[in-house]
Amino acid sequence: MNKIILPTHSAMLKADYIFGVATSSFQIEGERRGRCESIWDRFCEHDGAIKDSSNGDIACEHISRWQQDVELITSLGVDAYRLSISWPRVMNDDGTVNDTGLSFYQKLVDALVAKGLKVFVTLYHWDLPQALEDKGGWLNRETAVAFARYTEVVCKALGDKVYAYTTLNEPFCSAHLGYELGIHAPGLRSQAAGRQAAHHLLLAHGLAMQVLRAHCPNSLHGVVLNFANADPVSTAHCDVEAAKIADDYCNHWYIKPILEGQYPDLLAQLPRDVQPDMLAGDLEIIAAPIDYLGVNYYTRNIYQSDGNGWYEQVEPSAKTLTTMGWEVVPHSFCALLRELHAEYQLPPLYITENGAAFDDKMENGEVLDVQRLAYFQSHLLAVNQAMEQGVDIRGYFAWSLMDNFEWAEGYTQRFGIVHVDYHTQQRTLKASAKAYQTMLLERKSSV
């Protein structure tokens, strides 16, 4: 199969449905000298933190190649591009504005808009300034206030040229992976730190929403959360309960405060010294109305009881896994979307990340990534099915535009629909990109 085919009656083929591609600043930009230090710069210096001992100093050289990349994005026939702003490229460590860094994003957004693309801007995709981490990072309530100030600088500069602003990308990863498990920057390992960081991230989201509403009333404003189904390994009561705990701890911990102004009941069951400190009114700030919710989905997780009233994750047993070790389970994607729709009064959804890493090989100038192509085909059909069952999904973004720095995995994982040769920075459309491009161009010619 070398095509992506949607049902002829699919609402995803209508002109107002938004298809896009997505990236993030630290993963592609490079030009380390043009910004202040971030927590990921520091984390990359830790022995063993990054699988291939690499860093983001060069990455995909997007800062110097952005005009070429805008042409690349446009050539795909997408409606939108989702990018993130580097906080330490826009703000100096003393709190002043880095005009050169801010100007880069102004030029980039202007060029994208001139091409007729809708621009989705993420304000925080994990690259916290190290200067703020030195003061406690997301364990310090003042970081949420600093985020609101940074948000004001960006949204005043970009204004309503931006179609949609996202406050945070995947606060679960920032808090749980960064402060609780220590496998992402800044590398802390503390349950109490993870819960406190999560609360301050959500508070930062709420404070930023106030700023965005004030300065960019004509743009959409929301947040992006990652979800993975929490499935029990067996029907045993203890495993079912463990999966429910994991679901609350990893999924609902983030969406429930935003949409309903409260944490899951699990909060009260945690030891007091693990529960986050919060002030009166925090949850009201966090629960500010959002125009949309971004959903990032890659796979499901399987859990069993740890024998002590908590959960532990079980490695997938499927024969076919991505190179990240993740199952390909499109039916779980549809189930997740249906379950969120049933449980919450959702705003409109955008699938803001969806994709897979495989062992891509360049042969005769081509990358025939048939597994990724099949992944996109099956997951787009899952989105279509969820929409047919009543879920309001307004758009879909493939992750990622191009191969890039994959956090703790370094450059060992390729998620891109565009291949990047890291020695020459040559960009080459993979088979998945060509199939996506063909589907989108055919859609445009038929509406």
Side-chain angles (χ1 to χ4, degrees):
M1 183 188 75
N2 59 2
K3 294 186 73 175
I4 292 173
I5 301 172
L6 291 170
T8 54
H9 62 276
S10 174
M12 299 172 79
L13 293 175
K14 292 183 178 177
D16 60 352
Y17 195 84
I18 294 174
F19 280 101
V21 285
T23 63
S24 88
S25 52
F26 191 85
Q27 293 180 273
I28 68 167
E29 284 183 354
E31 203 190 17
R32 168 71 181 82
R33 68 183 183 277
R35 57 171 174 75
C36 295
E37 185 182 18
S38 82
I39 56 173
W40 275 93
D41 296 309
R42 183 72 60 88
F43 189 65
C44 288
E45 296 172 358
H46 297 174
D47 288 343
I50 311 299
K51 182 179 280 189
D52 58 2
S53 302
S54 63
N55 57 47
D57 290 3
I58 298 173
C60 305
E61 291 186 348
H62 174 66
I63 292 291
S64 59
R65 297 172 184 268
W66 69 270
Q67 289 162 304
Q68 169 193 343
D69 289 339
V70 168
E71 295 298 328
L72 175 67
I73 294 162
T74 306
S75 76
L76 292 172
V78 294
D79 310 297
Y81 176 49
R82 178 176 175 247
L83 62 101
S84 80
I85 308 288
S86 168
W87 189 347
R89 194 178 297 282
V90 166
M91 303 299 292
N92 296 315
D93 287 346
D94 63 1
T96 59
V97 176
N98 178 340
D99 291 326
T100 302
L102 188 60
S103 174
F104 165 74
Y105 295 109
Q106 290 174 304
K107 289 186 293 185
L108 176 59
V109 169
D110 284 345
L112 292 164
V113 171
K115 293 288 189 181
L117 292 165
K118 292 179 171 65
V119 183
F120 283 61
V121 163
T122 301
L123 291 160
Y124 186 69
H125 200 126
W126 310 354
D127 45 356
L128 182 72
Q130 182 62 40
L132 290 176
E133 181 60 36
D134 291 342
K135 298 176 182 177
W138 290 112
L139 302 182
N140 183 349
R141 188 181 179 89
E142 285 304 306
T143 300
V145 178
F147 180 69
R149 289 197 296 267
Y150 150 69
T151 296
E152 184 171 2
V153 168
V154 174
C155 71
K156 278 184 171 180
L158 302 181
D160 58 12
K161 294 175 185 175
V162 172
Y163 182 80
Y165 286 93
T166 295
T167 53
L168 309 176
N169 178 78
E170 301 183 347
F172 163 86
C173 293
S174 299
H176 192 67
L177 303 184
Y179 286 81
E180 190 157 336
L181 301 184
I183 57 178
H184 277 189
L188 274 64
R189 293 183 174 89
S190 159
Q191 187 181 19
R195 295 304 95 186
Q196 191 63 62
H199 181 68
H200 286 154
L201 279 154
L202 292 173
L203 179 64
H205 155 76
L207 293 173
M209 285 297 297
Q210 297 174 6
V211 174
L212 291 166
R213 292 281 184 221
H215 296 289
C216 299
N218 297 319
S219 302
L220 299 178
H221 305 300
V223 66
V224 167
L225 305 179
N226 59 300
F227 296 93
N229 315 64
D231 293 340
V233 72
S234 78
T235 57
H237 178 72
C238 61
D239 291 335
V240 172
E241 283 298 303
K244 174 66 168 64
I245 292 169
D247 198 22
D248 282 345
Y249 201 71
C250 300
N251 291 320
H252 298 285
W253 199 275
Y254 302 89
I255 185 173
K256 196 175 184 72
I258 291 171
L259 295 185
E260 296 184 351
Q262 58 184 327
Y263 284 106
D265 294 342
L266 181 64
L267 171 63
Q269 300 168 32
L270 298 178
R272 183 64 195 94
D273 62 350
V274 169
Q275 296 177 27
D277 292 329
M278 58 182 88
L279 300 184
D282 280 4
L283 287 168
E284 287 80 2
I285 294 171
I286 292 169
I290 55 176
D291 299 320
Y292 72 92
L293 173 66
V295 173
N296 291 356
Y297 172 87
Y298 292 93
T299 189
R300 68 168 180 166
N301 289 330
I302 304 170
Y303 297 98
Q304 66 185 13
S305 170
D306 71 347
N308 295 302
W310 201 248
Y311 66 86
E312 60 185 21
Q313 195 167 336
V314 178
E315 292 299 314
S317 58
K319 292 181 180 178
T320 303
L321 303 173
T322 73
T323 51
M324 290 289 290
W326 297 345
E327 280 185 282
V328 178
V329 277
H331 66 274
S332 291
F333 190 16
C334 183
L336 170 79
L337 293 166
R338 288 199 318 266
E339 288 162 10
L340 290 173
H341 176 67
E343 183 150 353
Y344 294 100
Q345 288 292 113
L346 294 174
L349 302 184
Y350 290 90
I351 307 305
T352 36
E353 288 181 27
N354 181 231
F358 292 106
D359 187 17
D360 301 329
K361 302 295 185 187
M362 174 78 76
E363 296 178 351
N364 301 317
E366 292 186 315
V367 181
L368 300 178
D369 57 336
V370 292
Q371 290 174 295
R372 181 175 295 104
L373 179 45
Y375 182 99
F376 282 126
Q377 173 68 68
S378 62
H379 286 70
L380 283 164
L381 289 176
V383 174
N384 181 72
Q385 184 180 4
M387 291 172 64
E388 288 179 339
Q389 295 175 10
V391 187
D392 184 4
I393 304 170
R394 306 285 178 89
Y396 175 96
F397 290 77
W399 183 272
S400 169
L401 167 66
M402 66 180 86
D403 297 329
N404 53 45
F405 177 80
E406 185 48 42
W407 307 111
E409 300 292 320
Y411 296 96
T412 68
Q413 302 291 328
R414 291 183 178 268
F415 274 89
I417 62 172
V418 174
H419 180 274
V420 177
D421 181 322
Y422 295 117
H423 298 292
T424 66
Q425 294 295 338
Q426 176 69 35
R427 278 88 155 121
T428 304
L429 298 189
K430 301 178 188 179
S432 58
K434 293 176 181 177
Y436 197 43
Q437 179 186 54
T438 298
M439 185 266 288
L440 295 176
L441 294 177
E442 288 179 352
R443 179 186 71 137
K444 285 184 177 179
S445 66
S446 65
V447 294

